[in-house]
Amino acid sequence: MTKDNGQAHMPRLLATADLHYNHPRSRPLAEQLIDQMNRAGGDILLVAGDTATSDGEALEQCLARFQFAGPKLFLAGNHELWTTTDDSHRLFTEDLPRRVRALGWQWLETDPFIAADTAIVGTIGWYDYGFAQPDLEIPHAFYEQKISPGAACRFPEYAPLLANAPDLSPRALATVARWNDGIHIKLGRSDEQFLAERLAELERSLQTVASVNHIIAATHVVPFKELLPPPRIPQWDFAKAFLGSPKLGELLLRYPNVRHAVCGHSHFLLEAKIGPAHLHAINLGSGYRWKTFRTLDLA
């Protein structure tokens, strides 16, 4: 790539996530951010999940608002899998790739991007409760049901779950929260199984680009504990079980030419240097009430 004066320049990646375009409070902020990104220029565009839920046309409306001449790379997030009428796994493997490609975007989950000595791979990733906070003293079964003990006490349908955990601590019972993926996502498999499928697909992508000097790995969920939000109240700390998995980070660190890792999902901006190769990890940090994008100049 060259500048107008003929001098070579580094390709520039623009990255954002968590636009939540279907959400009434979030949409105006997302539109403002997209307009800023349209003016910012750049060579490659990455949107790393939670653009909009799949039901309706908000996903298409959001992606069509981007005016970008270069490659446009898309990852799904957990909110794309939310649905009232459909099977989430079929949405993810069939409908979403078709809809995204029809708009001229690259489905990064299965299609790595390669340009010269730079490659971008990506996955929605998933969670296996590996980031669950031990001090909450919540048994594994409650994370599988995506509800805390304190919240389960309020719903009669969780009586069997509570009956199988008679020795819950006061701290566990004081945690009142639920993770709404349990209501809106229908995967037809366990979270651990879905994560294993995503890890296998990500490793295929990494092997495809293994000879490339500079790899950027994008995940929707958090791949490293260093990118988790700091401790807060128990209700927020309960959610950390669903923010990602350390298995994603372990896989990325096996490939020393992965120089950057970019994620979203937690709505909390953070950066860290990870591992002996000092991988530069970035949580993009967009949330419902604020939107951010990041520019990376790629050597």
Side-chain angles (χ1 to χ4, degrees), residues 270-285:
L270 278 171
E271 295 189 39
K273 297 291 187 179
I274 310 290
H278 302 291
L279 180 152
H280 186 188
I282 303 167
N283 192 318
L284 293 165

Side-chain angles (χ1 to χ4, degrees), residues 32-108:
Q32 293 173 22
L33 183 86
I34 293 169
D35 292 345
Q36 291 174 22
M37 295 179 73
N38 287 340
R39 294 190 296 268
D43 303 295
I44 308 162
L45 173 63
L46 168 66
V47 176
D50 280 6
T51 301
T53 55
S54 293
D55 293 350
E57 299 180 352
L59 177 66
E60 282 81 359
Q61 292 168 356
C62 183
L63 295 183
R65 191 177 180 94
F66 283 97
Q67 303 297 314
F68 196 83
K72 302 186 293 290
L73 315 180
F74 178 89
L75 283 178
N78 57 310
H79 278 252
E80 273 83 10
L81 275 58
W82 284 25
T83 180
T84 58
T85 60
D86 214 333
D87 165 49
S88 298
H89 194 262
R90 188 180 68 80
L91 273 176
F92 180 71
T93 57
E94 298 178 23
D95 290 359
L96 280 168
R98 173 183 51 78
R99 291 167 62 181
V100 166
R101 288 168 176 148
L103 292 165
W105 290 67
Q106 186 163 329
W107 180 254
L108 194 60

